[in-house]
Amino acid sequence: MANQFSSHCLTQLSAITSINGFQFRALDLKQDLPTLQSWFNQEYAQFWGMQGLNLAAIENLMAATQHKFALMGEWQGKSLFMVELYDPAHDEIGHHYPVAPGDCGMHLIIAPPDGNPINGLSFKVMDAIAQLVLEKLAFNRLVVEPDQLNSKIHRLNSRVGIRYEKAIQLSTKAAFLGFCTAADRQLESSTPSSMRLTQTTSALPTLAKQDLASPSLTKPSSLAAPITSPMTLSTL
């Protein structure tokens, strides 16, 4: 998978793959760019760091390569989310932990609410993506690096079964490094809901709990490299 990440994944997917009522299809740069531009400019999408970009810049950032590609998720005939899957060995995150065969990184953004918010929809999206990565594509681990300040995604990640290992400093943000396996998902599904709130808090690395207010962790470095790829999950 490491040498042919994108081609390997896409050959495992049909033109449209359906999971739990969501339809996954390959991102169509021409068709989907205006939609993505609208999503990236929402206030909640600040963690993507792509606000104010024109269509050409977004196309350049979202174009598939040998090591990353994006899928659009549709629900009830409408585009609901975009998920980018990538090979951690060819991403900045790979400098912060020993990448193992079968690791798959993931970035996600969900559309703004259209009408009344639907309770639990974001969780269902995350759960479908976890199934896609760990079951349909048969990766060993889902890898995430959410912004430390994105409190909503931390709760959602915990519910899906993602566990944070440590706090890290990327070129564009202070993040948590997290992993999820099929076993983690199974364990989370058997955990009583009354225990989940406690687990969410305890899942945050001790270092980050203590230093979350530190300017060096909560603000991008003044020497940050230009953004070449979306580096976070959206707030959900």
Side-chain angles (χ1 to χ4, degrees), residues 112-126:
D114 181 11
N116 295 325
I118 299 175
N119 185 44
L121 185 59
S122 294
F123 169 74
K124 292 178 181 178
V125 168
M126 281 287 289

Side-chain angles (χ1 to χ4, degrees), residues 34-49:
T35 297
L36 288 182
Q37 184 183 50
S38 173
W39 293 358
F40 288 143
N41 279 294
Q42 299 294 320
E43 182 178 356
Y44 68 80
Q46 61 180 300
F47 296 107
W48 271 78

Side-chain angles (χ1 to χ4, degrees), residues 84-227:
E84 182 182 54
L85 303 181
Y86 67 92
D87 183 353
H90 294 271
D91 186 89
E92 182 183 7
I93 194 66
H95 298 295
H96 292 271
Y97 83 101
V99 179
D103 283 355
C104 178
M106 182 268 285
H107 302 132
L108 169 67
I109 187 167
I110 294 182
D114 181 11
N116 295 325
I118 299 175
N119 185 44
L121 185 59
S122 294
F123 169 74
K124 292 178 181 178
V125 168
M126 281 287 289
D127 190 61
I129 292 171
Q131 286 189 52
L132 175 74
V133 171
L134 298 174
E135 298 178 20
K136 180 70 174 180
L137 296 177
F139 281 98
N140 296 330
R141 289 193 300 185
L142 177 63
V143 182
V144 300
E145 20 77 354
D147 194 299
Q148 289 184 12
L149 300 181
N150 195 347
S151 58
K152 291 184 179 180
I153 198 64
H154 304 326
R155 294 192 293 270
L156 186 58
N157 283 346
S158 179
R159 287 186 62 196
V160 173
I162 294 171
R163 295 293 175 259
Y164 295 165
E165 180 177 286
K166 61 181 179 179
I168 59 175
Q169 182 65 52
L170 298 175
S171 61
T172 57
K173 66 180 181 182
F176 292 133
L177 174 64
F179 302 96
C180 181
T181 66
D184 293 330
R185 277 174 41 76
Q186 184 175 8
L187 178 62
E188 182 60 25
S189 67
S190 63
T191 301
S193 58
S194 60
M195 295 177 60
R196 287 177 181 153
L197 181 59
T198 300
Q199 287 184 335
T200 301
T201 302
S202 63
L204 299 181
T206 301
L207 173 63
K209 290 180 188 177
Q210 295 173 344
D211 297 343
L212 193 55
S214 168
S216 64
L217 285 180
T218 59
K219 297 180 181 178
S221 167
S222 60
L223 299 178
I227 297 176

